[in-house]
Amino acid sequence: MKICRFNEDRIGVVIDGEIADVTAILESLGSARYPFPNHDVFIANLSRLLPDLATLSRRAQRVPLSSAMLLSPVANPGKIVAAPVNYVDHLSEAINQNELNHGSRIHRIQTVGLFLKATSSLQGCSHGVFIEHADRRNDHEIELVAIIGKSGRNVPKERALEYVAGYCIGLDMTVRGSEDRSMRKSVDTFSVVGPWMVTADEIPNPGTLDLCLTVNGEERQRANTKDLILNTAELIEFATSYYSIAPGDLIFTGTPAGVGSVRTGDRIRAEIASIGAMEVAVHEKCNIV
Ligand code: MN
């Protein structure tokens, strides 16, 4: 099932180019009292809600996909985990290109570990990316994103995919420079996820997916998730050996070679097999405070 969030926090099931509006499902989540949970309550209940979502979607009002504003399919991720230099070809380009490494030695992911992106950087595809620092190089990075479905700690890789609720496409937008990754990759709107989540039952093997990114129609990145250094299951094992994961946590699995800069006015198109494609506009700095 393809599940999206759209317009003013509505929930939809994507079917044949249309969205079946199943927002009524949220009534079954009940209300929370302070202290509110620090995970995503909809994703935490998703496996229980799937049969009702299917039923509701059959009689729901339909909205054309083309007219909807797609939001992040996860509203409240407790954390956004990301994998640096996790494709062999991107590791090579990061070592060889000074504009990418800024004089820092590039280490293998097993040495450098994972990093976190601020949850305030989360953005749905329809609202686009806003370039806060136009004087710096701002890069696109297409990545497969795993959406965690249940809590876990010290999860072995053999069981790790049981903890995945679904997948979506991610753009790990990046300001190049010498600052810490957690700062350069946490600019508001720099964690684009979408266009919807595909439930894990439709992607039994996330390690065989073609991915492709174009900017203004020109191909920049093309790869397959089989070339990940640490695959999705190994990333979950690695992450949970340090911290627990919770429903709605996002795991950005890393980007292949071909990262490059974008500017105001550009249009990014990101596509991953079995998920779909999303178009993301690049806007100038947002002056809303
Ligand atoms: Mn990345």
Side-chain angles (χ1 to χ4, degrees), residues 83 115 141 143 172 185 254-255:
F115 65 96
E141 295 190 353
E143 314 200 359
D172 173 21
K185 291 167 171 278
T255 202

Side-chain angles (χ1 to χ4, degrees), residues 99-160:
E99 317 90 79
L100 297 183
N101 63 44
H102 283 263
S104 302
R105 222 173 122 207
I106 300 295
H107 295 283
R108 297 163 72 233
I109 183 169
Q110 293 90 337
T111 306
V112 75
L114 307 177
F115 65 96
L116 296 169
K117 288 165 71 80
T119 52
S120 48
S121 64
L122 191 69
Q123 181 78 330
C125 59
S126 295
H127 289 94
V129 163
F130 289 80
I131 300 295
E132 192 68 26
H133 305 280
D135 55 329
R136 303 280 298 272
R137 178 172 157 176
N138 294 271
D139 277 13
H140 56 75
E141 295 190 353
I142 183 175
E143 314 200 359
L144 174 69
V145 172
I147 300 166
I148 296 300
K150 59 177 182 177
S151 297
R153 193 159 182 276
N154 287 317
V155 177
K157 64 184 176 193
E158 293 78 14
R159 302 199 56 187

Side-chain angles (χ1 to χ4, degrees), residues 101-270:
N101 63 44
H102 283 263
S104 302
R105 222 173 122 207
I106 300 295
H107 295 283
R108 297 163 72 233
I109 183 169
Q110 293 90 337
T111 306
V112 75
L114 307 177
F115 65 96
L116 296 169
K117 288 165 71 80
T119 52
S120 48
S121 64
L122 191 69
Q123 181 78 330
C125 59
S126 295
H127 289 94
V129 163
F130 289 80
I131 300 295
E132 192 68 26
H133 305 280
D135 55 329
R136 303 280 298 272
R137 178 172 157 176
N138 294 271
D139 277 13
H140 56 75
E141 295 190 353
I142 183 175
E143 314 200 359
L144 174 69
V145 172
I147 300 166
I148 296 300
K150 59 177 182 177
S151 297
R153 193 159 182 276
N154 287 317
V155 177
K157 64 184 176 193
E158 293 78 14
R159 302 199 56 187
L161 296 185
E162 296 170 22
Y163 289 76
V164 177
Y167 300 90
C168 60
I169 306 170
L171 291 179
D172 173 21
M173 299 301 297
T174 302
V175 177
R176 293 293 166 206
S178 55
E179 301 92 340
D180 191 87
R181 283 189 179 89
S182 65
M183 186 177 185
R184 293 185 286 107
K185 291 167 171 278
S186 288
V187 180
D188 281 12
T189 76
F190 270 31
S191 298
V192 184
V193 289
W196 40 71
M197 75 174 281
V198 177
T199 50
D201 58 296
E202 294 190 13
I203 304 182
N205 185 358
T208 58
L209 305 177
D210 286 322
L211 51 152
C212 175
L213 180 141
T214 64
V215 177
N216 305 328
E218 172 199 322
E219 184 175 301
R220 297 271 186 92
Q221 295 185 279
R222 177 176 289 278
N224 187 287
T225 53
K226 70 177 166 46
D227 294 320
L228 281 163
I229 295 171
L230 294 183
N231 65 29
T232 303
E234 290 165 335
L235 286 170
I236 291 170
E237 179 181 76
F238 193 23
T240 61
S241 70
Y242 283 80
Y243 34 66
S244 56
I245 49 171
D249 283 1
L250 303 176
I251 314 263
F252 277 66
T253 57
T255 202
V259 299
S261 68
V262 292
R263 290 188 176 77
T264 298
D266 285 348
R267 288 195 71 82
I268 303 168
R269 184 177 186 280

